[in-house]
Structures are given as C-alpha cells and as structure tokens.
Amino acid sequence: NAGVTQTPKFRVLKTGQSMTLLCAQDMNHEYMYWYRQDPGMGLRLIHYSVGEGTTAKGEVPDGYNVSRLKKQNFLLGLESAAPSQTSVYFCASSYGNQNTEAFFGQGTRLTVV
Amino acid sequence: GESVGLHLPTLSVQEGDNSIINCAYSNSASDYFIWYKQESGKGPQFIIDIRSNMDKRQGQRVTVLLNKTVKHLSLQIAATQPGDSAVYFCAEVKYYGQNFVFGPGTRLSVLP
C-alpha cells in the first residue's frame, strides 16, 4: 500500500520555466490538498479538492494551478516559476466526511534559480 | 535534509522525561484540533485529534488537552524517547471543506 506518492522528489527550475507536480493516492480518498512549507511558517494551503473534477483555492493560490481529472491524482502546476516559489511542497489526502486524519506524501523540494 | 528552518520554538527534554508542547489557535469555530509529527525529510504524520466539545483525549503515550477559554492546545508525551525527536504541528479544521490550518510548529529534541 503506497499511500500518497509525490513525483518528483527534487527539482531545480530556472525563473520563468513551468512544471507540474504529480500527487497520487491509492486510498480512495475524496479530499486532496497541496501545501507548501517554508522555514518558520509551517504548512500553508495552496489549493485543495473535495472530489474528482473539483478544485478550490487555499491560502496562497497565486502562481499555481491545479487539476483533479481522476480521483486518485491531484496535479499542481507552476506556469512561470519565480524564486519566491522555492519551497518544499506536500500533497495530502483524506477521506473527508468528518474524518480528520490527512495522509501526507514525502514532499517535493523545489528550487527556482 | 531539514524541512523547516531556524526560527521554530524548540523544546529540549531528557530521554524518559515527559514533554509538553503548546499551541495557540485562532478560530473559535474549528470543529477539530489535531497534532502532527514531522520527522526530518518526511511528510507530517497524524498523531491524535480532539473534538472541540472535549477537554482531554488520551492515546498511546500521548495526551491532548484543549482549553477553549484561552484558545490553547497542548500535547503531552509520556516517557519521551529518541524517536520522538521531530517537529510537532498543531492544526485546526472545520468539517466543511476539511481545510487543515497548521501552526508554525515546535521542534522537540530528546537528549540522551
């Protein structure tokens, strides 16, 4: 049982380049989330999804887009990377429906130079 | 590698002692409060949660206390072990949307 898998684990981008981070979960969870983690700031919600085909903005959505075409996958896109997007990105999923336990992936360390 | 930076509150305890990690939350309307543990280079891992209508909940070696009057949450770890060394985050969540709002975290270091 793989849980939540993020791809890639590490990436270096040049300013202005684009990329997509992939999150896959095999637990049949309805809810999926993308967070970024920066020093001293904990985890901040970028976008989330409460089911296949739905997405919503979180606390820090600017510069990011997401898609949930399949229930098990949640993609995070950076259209034009900026140095301010250097961070560690975590995907998470949960059953929703009053279940509070979220399962996190191992993280993607992204550096924009 | 480290996933959080240099400005976290830090708690150092001797192995075998009890640890108390504190958290202040902001939203009185949150339905649940949760503690997560994050080891270096890994994603956060669920430890325990408590409903907003409860004051205390116990798990294996952990106890969470909720004081709604002062919007304060604490995590007590009994007989702290080296494997407990990590960053601990509190989070609050409302049922609708299930958005987890995380605090900045506390780094726990267990001394031999």
Side-chain angles (χ1 to χ4, degrees):
Chain A
N1 190 344
V4 178
T5 303
Q6 292 181 231
T7 310
K9 290 183 171 52
F10 301 94
R11 185 73 185 269
V12 178
L13 283 181
K14 293 183 179 179
T15 297
Q17 286 185 318
S18 63
M19 77 164 294
T20 300
L21 283 66
L22 172 63
C23 177
Q25 54 94 3
D26 61 2
M27 296 172 281
N28 201 35
H29 285 169
E30 289 293 334
Y31 288 57
M32 297 188 73
Y33 316 83
W34 276 107
Y35 287 90
R36 60 177 289 172
Q37 186 173 42
D38 301 296
M41 300 188 72
L43 293 105
R44 293 183 293 169
L45 183 65
I46 304 171
H47 286 279
Y48 66 100
S49 167
V50 299
E52 181 179 318
T54 73
T55 63
K57 294 180 179 180
E59 179 186 357
V60 288
D62 293 343
Y64 306 94
N65 57 74
V66 288
S67 63
R68 183 100 181 266
L69 299 179
K70 294 183 179 181
K71 186 177 184 179
Q72 64 268 33
N73 296 335
F74 195 29
L75 278 63
L76 178 71
L78 285 74
E79 293 181 344
S80 179
S84 61
Q85 294 178 304
T86 294
S87 188
V88 180
Y89 292 85
F90 286 99
C91 175
S93 69
S94 72
Y95 285 106
N97 193 25
Q98 302 184 11
N99 186 296
T100 63
E101 184 172 0
F103 294 80
F104 283 80
Q106 292 284 73
T108 296
R109 184 175 293 275
L110 175 66
T111 302
V112 183
V113 298
Chain B
E2 292 293 331
S3 59
V4 292
L6 303 175
H7 303 293
L8 287 177
T10 300
L11 175 66
S12 297
V13 298
Q14 291 291 138
E15 182 178 353
D17 287 352
N18 296 336
S19 304
I20 300 176
I21 301 170
N22 298 304
C23 176
Y25 64 90
S26 57
N27 189 352
S28 302
S30 293
D31 296 308
Y32 265 94
F33 301 91
I34 312 162
W35 282 99
Y36 280 86
K37 172 186 180 182
Q38 186 176 26
E39 296 175 298
S40 181
K42 296 184 178 181
Q45 183 178 14
F46 176 92
I47 302 173
I48 191 169
D49 64 5
I50 185 168
R51 290 188 67 158
S52 59
N53 61 356
M54 300 172 64
D55 298 320
K56 179 180 180 179
R57 189 175 186 203
Q58 289 184 293
Q60 186 176 13
R61 276 201 313 119
V62 295
T63 301
V64 56
L65 299 177
L66 176 62
N67 185 332
K68 294 179 284 293
T69 301
V70 294
K71 296 184 183 177
H72 183 266
L73 188 69
S74 68
L75 177 70
Q76 301 177 1
I77 304 173
T80 311
Q81 303 169 359
D84 295 326
S85 292
V87 176
Y88 289 81
F89 294 95
C90 64
E92 48 187 309
V93 62
K94 284 193 65 65
Y95 285 135
Y96 182 74
Q98 282 260 321
N99 294 340
F100 300 84
V101 178
F102 287 83
T106 297
R107 186 185 306 279
L108 175 66
S109 296
V110 181
L111 307 174

